[in-house]
Amino acid sequence: VLFLNGYFDAATPFYSTEFDAAHLGLTPELRRNISFKYYQSGHMVYLNPQALSAMRDDLAAWYDGATRR
């Protein structure tokens, strides 16, 4: 699971994703499957071209890693 978050997101408060994931009751083995990435944007990352480019690179790397398993 890859969570993509904007630092300046008024729709979903900063750090709430990490808080929610930490309280799922997952074993450490399953918790290792969770990743977080943060961008200089809100939830509409496409409004910041640099953040959008970074998100694209992060997604590509995550897809590559997930399909190698």
Side-chain angles (χ1 to χ4, degrees):
V1 176
L2 174 61
F3 289 104
L4 306 172
N5 302 284
Y7 286 115
F8 315 112
D9 194 339
T12 55
F14 180 74
Y15 197 69
S16 65
T17 307
E18 286 189 25
F19 180 86
D20 291 344
H23 290 85
L24 289 173
L26 299 175
T27 63
E29 180 183 348
L30 290 175
R31 193 175 265 178
R32 283 192 290 270
N33 294 321
I34 298 176
S35 302
F36 300 90
K37 295 291 182 179
Y38 294 92
Y39 305 97
Q40 296 291 323
S41 70
H43 67 275
M44 296 186 295
V45 177
Y46 50 83
L47 295 178
N48 178 337
Q50 290 104 355
L52 179 59
S53 178
M55 185 176 78
R56 186 253 173 241
D57 293 343
D58 291 338
L59 279 169
W62 186 80
Y63 288 135
D64 288 343
T67 56
R68 284 190 195 132
R69 294 182 184 182

